[in-house]
Every structure is written in C-alpha cells, then in structure tokens.
Amino acid sequence: MRILGISKTEFVKSKVNILFLKTLIFGDVLALILAISRFNYQWHSLYYTNDGFTVYSFLRNFINGFGTYEGPDAQYLLGVHSFITPLLLSPIIYIFKTPYVMGIIVISIYLISAYLISILSRNHGLPRIYSYILGSMFFIQVFSDNGIDSKWLFQADLVVIPLIISLFIAAKNNNREYFLLSLFLIILTKEEFILWSLFLVPLSLLSSNSRFLLNIKDLLRIFFVYSFSSFVSIFTLIFYRSMNYRANGARELSDMTSIADINYASIIQHVFYPFTYLFVWILFSLGLLLISNPNHKKNLILCLVLAIFLILIRLLVNSVVYGHASGASWSTLSILSPALICTSIHFISASYNFNSVLFQRSITKLIFIGFTLTLIFGIIFKHADFKMISYQTSKTSNYSILKNFKKYLPDQKPNNEYFLSEMNLMAPFMSRSHLNIWTPLTQGRGQIPNMNDFTQSEKKRLDTLVDNASFAVLNKNLDASIKMAEILIKSNWRSIEDESGKGYILFLPKSN
C-alpha cells in the first residue's frame, strides 16, 4: 500500500520524524523563553557581578570614541587580555546603551552556535533529526556556569564559541577564505587562543577529511594567518600592559603555580572521574569508534588522541594559571565544549554512514530524542519559577531599589569619571565607568589588609582613587563596604540610605 506516492512504512517513519522534530522544537522554544526570563530575573536580583560590566565599559568607551581605556578598574583592558575580536560587539552596545544586552548576547551566542552545530551535522550527512538533537543539546549549555548562570554576566571568551564551530564548518566544506577568517578571529579573541589554535586547526581538518591537509599552498596560508594574528595579539597585549598600573585581572608569572607543584593526579582524575562531561565524552567516542567503518578508524583514533591531548593541556594550563585543574568555567568550556561536540559529529557521522540501519530505527531516534528532551525539560523544571515572570517582582527588585538613587547623583562628567561600588551593585549606574572597591582596598593582596600595612605610595593611591570618584554605592552589611564607608566618612562624604531598609547606601562627596 502506498500513500502520497511513498510506501506505508516510509510514510509512518516520516510522520514519526515530524512528531520528533515538533516535540524537540517545542522544548527548544520553551528553553529559550526560560533562558530570557531567568536572565531577566537574575538581573533584577543583582545576581551579576564585575567582569561583564568591565567588558561593557570597555566596549562602550571604544564605540563612543574614547579609545580602549575601560576605567580605573581594568584600565586598558587590552593590557589585561587582548580582546580584539570582541570589539565587533561594540555597535550593539552603541545601539542599546545598557549592560543588560550583555546577557542577551550570551543567549544569542548559544543560539547561533546551536544553529551552526546543526549545519555542521547536516554537512557531515546526518539526518535532520540528529542535527536538531545535537544543536539542542549544545544550546541548553546556556544554563551552565558558562552561560546565564555565570555570576560574571559575560566573558569575552564566549565570542570564540561560534567561531570554533565555524572553523570546523569551513574545514568540512573546504572553504579556504571562511577557514582563514575564522582562524584569524579566533586568535584575536584572546591571547591564549594562540596555543589552542595549534590543536583546533589540525582537529578541524582531521575531523573533516579536508583537502587542506594535502595542499602545501593552503598550509602556508594557514601558517601565515596564524603567525600574523598571533603577532598582533601579543603585540597588543604587551603595548597596553605597559600602560597599566596593577590592572585588576592581569596575571603575572609570580601569581602562577610552578610546573613542579602541579597535582598531576588531579588532572587525570578530572578527566576519568565517572559521569563527568569529559569522561562521558570519551566513553561515547570509544563506543562510536567500535561501530564505525574500519577504513575510517585510523582517522578517528587520530582525532580522539588529539582531542584528549587538548583536554589534558587545557587542564594543565588551568592548574598553572588558576591553581586547580577545573580552572575558570568560561576559559575551559569556551574551548572544549565546541571543539568536542564538533569532533563528536565526525564520530557520529562515521558510525552513521557504516550503520545507517541502526541509526534510522525509530527506537534509536527515540532514545536520542528522549535523552535530549529529558535534559531540556529537566532544566526547565529545575529553573522555572513564577516570580521570574511577575511584573511586581521586577518593580520591587533590588535593581529597582538601587535605581532610585539616580535622582541624587551628580551630573555626569567627561569619560574618565567613575563611581565606587561592590561588584554586584553596579548594574543601575553603568552609563559611567566604575571601580570595584576591592581594587583600592586590597591593592593586589587578594584580601583586605589592615590600613597600617599599606606603604606610603599605596595609601596615596587609595586616597587618590577615592577622592576622584563621583559617588559610591555600598551595602552596609558587607565587610568590604563597611571598610570603604569608614574611609568615606573620614573624608567627610555624606550618605543617603535606601528607603526600603535593605542596607544600600549612596555616598556623595561633601561638595555635592
């Protein structure tokens, strides 16, 4: 029996695929709505802290024609990290003029990356249902510590995620210009991508069986772009770092762990500890390797070895820079997450082409989509809260309470003006540059010392930073704010407490 010119079996399979896709799309739309609602709720709860505001100030000043000076906190941010590619986001800042948009950019990065994952999957010959599953699984990382649940709001490293996926797409399609442009932008995202590109380039070429590997001219072009962009990144970092004075976030060699002191056992444990992301990825890859075409296994083994080597080097660098293998989530996941899923697509494709009957079975599709939907709806049920969509909640939020201080603020001065604040109290005042009070209070010590321990030059710097501030927003229930309040009171600043009684205090110089 034939229906609409196709067999009944094919028709049923088609209907099942459509049902799967509709269910998956419905879950994705719900996840997107939840991501936006959750971010908005956390924004008004003052959940987000300093790093995203620093990047925002940097981009705002750049697009407004004030150069790359962020403010007294990070100073010349390009001297902390060579964030050159993230400057492409500055027109968005010019249009919306609020750090709120940084959270929307995070969501958009994962949404775009999920779409690119589905394109890469289709380019590898995977059916649409598997392409959507892989894209969906990547998107829900927006709820991770590298997404909207990161208290830092935004990290410039996130910009590299869609670029890495684009590198793999270009390699698969043998698109030379697209590949070289992606590599160029990846390296200029941050200086450390000079190292990671040494793994990303061969991994993308190997996992795509790219013709670039057989073409000397293309390899020379890749080498030229790599060398040129690396030089630009390093030169930019050195040039601007020489203009900074103990910029917050800049790491010196003396701050890092020596190779001899690294706990190498913890690195191995971090990879092979059961049920972790890296351990599951390795097991999944080995399973796909076993059911793939024997003619492709040499290539797959090379990809697997290179990917594991990338993981181990990433964890080793984390141990050196951060003192522990897990490192900073944004620094680790922005590299490993896109690189590993792109490699997985190659493994799945190799297995699918050799065992297409297995992957075309409804039970196999049901297992994959069931797992994906379990993740999506599990996240939805975990994070859903009626308060997130309540107008009254936003109206009486901590953000709104702090916003009421704006009527007391002095007129904005030229671009070098800044205010003092705790990290998570800055959001309502980000039309101006800021200075995290930890910077003058700690003077690079990592904790607040006794004021008597400051040298004469450090005391002078503290006084200068305080005297030049336009206002201060503090929380009288926090130790750092209490210490800063004592300094401001001694300097005859006047204070205004919030009307809600939550402990927020606005300090203004006596002249105001």
Side-chain angles (χ1 to χ4, degrees), residues 121-137:
S121 302
R122 295 292 287 165
N123 288 345
H124 274 270
L126 292 177
R128 186 173 285 105
I129 182 67
Y130 288 109
S131 301
Y132 284 6
I133 286 172
L134 290 167
S136 301
M137 290 179 68

Side-chain angles (χ1 to χ4, degrees), residues 104-384:
I104 302 302
I105 289 174
V106 172
I107 297 172
S108 300
I109 283 174
Y110 278 99
L111 195 61
I112 292 169
S113 298
Y115 175 69
L116 292 175
I117 287 295
S118 67
I119 290 178
L120 180 62
S121 302
R122 295 292 287 165
N123 288 345
H124 274 270
L126 292 177
R128 186 173 285 105
I129 182 67
Y130 288 109
S131 301
Y132 284 6
I133 286 172
L134 290 167
S136 301
M137 290 179 68
F138 194 86
F139 173 70
I140 57 177
Q141 291 182 78
V142 74
F143 296 99
S144 71
D145 287 340
N146 202 39
I148 57 170
D149 273 7
S150 167
K151 64 179 181 178
W152 306 111
L153 175 63
F154 179 85
Q155 295 290 342
D157 303 56
L158 295 174
V159 173
V160 86
I161 294 177
L163 295 176
I164 291 175
I165 302 170
S166 297
L167 188 78
F168 279 80
I169 293 174
K172 182 61 181 175
N173 294 331
N174 290 293
N175 189 320
R176 291 158 176 77
E177 293 77 13
Y178 190 19
F179 185 89
L180 294 175
L181 177 61
S182 297
L183 176 60
F184 181 72
L185 294 175
I186 286 171
I187 293 176
L188 293 186
T189 301
K190 191 179 181 183
E191 70 284 348
E192 68 176 77
F193 288 107
I194 296 172
L195 171 61
W196 307 125
S197 295
L198 293 174
F199 297 92
L200 294 172
V201 168
L203 190 58
S204 64
L205 296 178
L206 279 172
S207 64
S208 304
N209 294 311
S210 176
R211 292 196 297 269
F212 290 0
L213 289 171
L214 305 176
N215 191 317
I216 297 299
K217 287 185 177 179
D218 286 330
L219 292 177
L220 288 174
R221 291 190 186 104
I222 292 172
F223 177 76
F224 173 77
V225 170
Y226 174 84
S227 301
F228 176 74
S229 52
S230 298
F231 171 79
V232 171
S233 179
I234 292 297
F235 176 81
T236 300
L237 184 67
I238 294 174
F239 175 78
Y240 282 104
R241 182 160 292 194
S242 67
M243 301 164 63
N244 285 345
Y245 174 83
R246 290 187 184 178
N248 184 33
R251 293 182 181 272
E252 305 295 339
L253 289 176
S254 58
D255 300 328
M256 300 184 183
T257 304
S258 69
I259 296 293
D261 294 331
I262 292 174
N263 185 346
Y264 293 96
S266 69
I267 294 177
I268 301 301
Q269 184 183 25
H270 199 80
V271 177
F272 295 104
Y273 194 80
F275 306 114
T276 61
Y277 169 71
L278 296 177
F279 181 72
V280 170
W281 181 85
I282 291 174
L283 283 184
F284 182 64
S285 300
L286 288 172
L288 292 172
L289 180 62
L290 292 174
I291 61 173
S292 63
N293 190 328
N295 296 329
H296 296 158
K297 285 190 177 180
K298 183 178 179 180
N299 172 276
L300 294 175
I301 290 172
L302 284 173
C303 288
L304 182 59
V305 170
L306 187 58
I308 291 175
F309 198 48
L310 170 62
I311 292 170
L312 293 175
I313 296 298
R314 174 69 263 186
L315 299 181
L316 177 65
V317 171
N318 285 346
S319 298
V320 172
V321 176
Y322 300 102
H324 50 89
S326 55
S329 59
W330 63 85
S331 202
T332 302
L333 294 178
S334 294
I335 299 164
L336 296 186
S337 182
L340 295 185
I341 195 168
C342 288
T343 307
S344 293
I345 290 171
H346 176 48
F347 275 72
I348 295 170
S349 172
S351 302
Y352 175 81
N353 292 332
F354 190 64
N355 293 280
S356 58
V357 174
L358 173 65
F359 283 86
Q360 287 172 1
R361 289 178 179 173
S362 294
I363 185 63
T364 307
K365 295 175 184 176
L366 185 60
I367 290 172
F368 274 97
I369 198 169
F371 176 74
T372 307
L373 288 173
T374 299
L375 289 177
I376 292 175
F377 285 103
I379 287 171
I380 290 174
F381 290 133
K382 178 181 178 182
H383 295 303

